[in-house]
Amino acid sequence: MVLEATMICIDNSEWMRNGDYSPSRFQAQADAVNLICGAKTQSNPENTVGVLIMAGKGVRVLVTPTSDLGKILACMHGLEIGGEMNLAAGIQVAQLALKHRQNKKQHQRIIVFAGSHVKHEKKMLEMIGRKLKKNSVALDVVNFGEEDEAKTEKLEALVAAVNNNDTSHIVHVPAGPNALSDVLISTPIFTGDGEGGSGFAAAAAAAAAGGGTGYDFGVDPNLDPELALALRVSMEEERARQEAAAKKAAEDAAKQEKGGSQDATMTEGASASTSEAENKTTDLMDDENALLQQALAMSMDDPAVGHDVRDTDMSEASTDDPELALALQLSVADSTGDQASQSDVTRLLADQSRVSDILASLPGVDINDPSIKDLLASIPNQSEQKNDDKPSNEEKK
């Protein structure tokens, strides 16, 4: 992009009241000026544009070169129309304004709108043109309004004197149905110059008077950069929020599908575990029933079961472990001694006289107590049993 400082010279003479350009010459010129100002500032953020008028009470600078598009557009409102255009003075004042630009690296350019007669001589305009060329100032002329051969010749001579490597242009715009701004869009004033082109034709169409619609969110960042930034940030946040919501919804759906498959797997596992537990329980019950039956048989001293098992165990023990066999024999002997002692006690308790003597010898025991007498009466007397066991004389006979 070409870095430029541009001064636009406006024709506000009495001839601008004519209506051969819709809606009038002055309004058509104002629209074209707004278009150029917006295009210049859009092509490079460091470009500056200034505006001056060449008629009325004299040449007057409305705004010095600035990048504030709002300030440039505001200066066009309320301008007085009258008098004659002073082209030479307007160009010289514009050159002086560009000389005092703040950024000296900017290229200098003057754009002149000539919509009325040119009163200056051709030689004078050529001299001004050579001076501009010497100071490296490019010149663009928009010839519209009065169709005069002398005017056209003077303007072409001016541009020819200024032109250096095809950096200066002249555009003739006759009256017609097309707007002045629409015609200028396709001219070298917008499409570029010999220094590489200004490159703002597309931006120019969006920056026309009345506000462009080519900006994001419909806001010109040059007019209100804070609002444009706020809208852009808000849009980015909304886009990020929508993306996060979509991602979360996808994750939830995936979790639900995964949870359903896990539930089915757990159900199958639980069924298998239940069947295995039932089988184990059945086996345990069968084993317990068998053991219970064996224990009952042993407790009843079933000879078909108990003795065979005992004899088998003892025989196996004697065969495999002699010490264990000896311990089993001793245990059996002890069991036999216990049974013998139990038999002695039983015989002792069966003798009524001996039990009576034992009870009488105990302290605090009254042998005449009715309960004790009943107890002694329930015990059969051993002597009587012996007598009963002996056969009687009659039986012997």
Side-chain angles (χ1 to χ4, degrees):
M1 298 180 188
V2 178
L3 181 61
E4 285 185 334
T6 305
M7 283 296 299
I8 299 178
C9 302
I10 297 175
D11 185 358
N12 62 325
S13 63
E14 196 69 30
W15 281 265
M16 293 298 102
R17 300 182 187 273
N18 293 347
D20 49 354
Y21 293 83
S22 178
S24 65
R25 289 186 183 180
F26 182 79
Q27 189 59 46
Q29 178 185 218
D31 293 342
V33 170
N34 293 340
L35 181 68
I36 293 174
C37 291
K40 290 288 185 181
T41 55
Q42 284 292 313
S43 63
N44 193 319
E46 296 184 9
N47 282 355
T48 57
V49 180
V51 180
L52 61 82
I53 54 176
M54 298 182 294
K57 297 179 179 180
V59 177
R60 181 164 59 95
V61 177
L62 300 179
V63 58
T64 56
T66 178
S67 59
D68 188 352
L69 183 59
K71 186 177 180 180
I72 297 170
L73 299 179
C75 72
M76 298 293 296
H77 297 285
L79 290 179
E80 296 181 359
I81 299 176
E84 292 184 357
M85 177 183 66
N86 191 345
L87 180 59
I91 293 175
Q92 291 175 350
V93 173
Q95 180 186 358
L96 184 61
L98 292 175
K99 184 179 179 180
H100 293 87
R101 66 191 184 282
Q102 294 181 353
N103 188 356
K104 300 301 181 181
K105 295 182 180 180
Q106 292 174 324
H107 293 259
Q108 303 174 81
R109 180 174 295 276
I110 298 174
I111 300 177
V112 176
F113 283 85
S116 59
H117 295 285
V118 178
K119 63 181 181 179
H120 305 288
E121 296 293 332
K122 181 179 178 180
K123 292 182 179 181
M124 182 179 180
L125 294 177
E126 290 177 348
M127 183 181 64
I128 294 174
R130 288 192 294 268
K131 186 177 180 180
L132 294 176
K133 183 178 180 180
K134 182 179 179 180
N135 294 321
S136 301
V137 179
L139 177 66
D140 292 330
V141 177
V142 180
N143 180 22
F144 72 104
E146 298 298 323
E147 296 182 1
D148 188 356
E149 294 182 0
K151 171 189 174 184
T152 302
E153 184 180 354
K154 293 177 181 179
L155 293 177
E156 289 179 350
L158 173 62
V159 172
V162 177
N163 193 15
N164 182 17
N165 296 327
D166 198 22
T167 58
S168 301
H169 313 88
I170 182 170
V171 178
H172 303 282
V173 184
N178 295 328
L180 182 60
S181 58
D182 294 341
V183 176
L184 292 178
I185 289 177
S186 60
T187 63
I189 296 177
F190 285 87
T191 58
D193 53 32
E195 297 179 357
S198 57
F200 54 82
T213 58
Y215 302 115
D216 293 338
F217 318 110
V219 177
D220 184 1
N222 292 316
L223 292 177
D224 197 343
E226 294 181 357
L227 178 59
L229 178 60
L231 290 174
R232 186 176 296 106
V233 171
S234 178
M235 179 61 69
E236 293 295 334
E237 291 178 352
E238 179 63 19
R239 185 180 295 110
R241 187 190 65 79
Q242 292 178 357
E243 292 178 354
K247 183 177 180 181
K248 184 177 180 181
E251 291 178 354
D252 293 341
K255 287 181 180 179
Q256 289 179 358
E257 294 178 358
K258 185 176 180 181
S261 61
Q262 288 181 353
D263 292 341
T265 304
M266 291 177 65
T267 303
E268 294 176 358
S271 301
S273 300
T274 303
S275 62
E276 292 177 359
E278 291 178 353
N279 294 332
K280 290 181 179 180
T281 304
T282 304
D283 296 339
L284 290 175
M285 290 179 65
D286 294 340
D287 295 340
E288 289 178 357
N289 290 331
L291 292 174
L292 181 60
Q293 291 177 0
Q294 185 178 359
L296 288 174
M298 293 177 65
S299 65
M300 294 174 66
D301 197 14
D302 188 354
V305 178
H307 293 296
D308 293 342
V309 173
R310 182 176 56 195
D311 295 341
T312 303
D313 293 341
M314 291 180 65
S315 62
E316 292 178 354
S318 61
T319 302
D320 297 337
D321 193 348
E323 295 180 358
L324 180 59
L326 179 60
L328 288 173
Q329 292 176 0
L330 292 175
S331 176
V332 172
D334 292 340
S335 177
T336 304
D338 293 340
Q339 292 179 358
S341 62
Q342 289 179 358
S343 300
D344 295 340
V345 173
T346 302
R347 287 195 299 270
L348 179 62
L349 293 176
D351 192 351
Q352 181 178 5
S353 60
R354 297 190 66 179
V355 171
S356 177
D357 294 339
I358 293 172
L359 292 177
S361 64
L362 294 175
V365 177
D366 188 3
I367 195 65
N368 296 320
D369 190 354
S371 59
I372 295 177
K373 288 182 177 183
D374 293 338
L375 178 62
L376 292 175
S378 63
I379 298 174
N381 194 350
Q382 187 174 7
S383 61
E384 294 179 356
Q385 290 180 356
K386 291 180 179 181
N387 293 330
D388 290 337
D389 293 335
K390 292 180 180 181
S392 62
N393 296 326
E394 295 179 356
E395 291 177 354
K396 286 180 180 181
K397 291 179 179 180

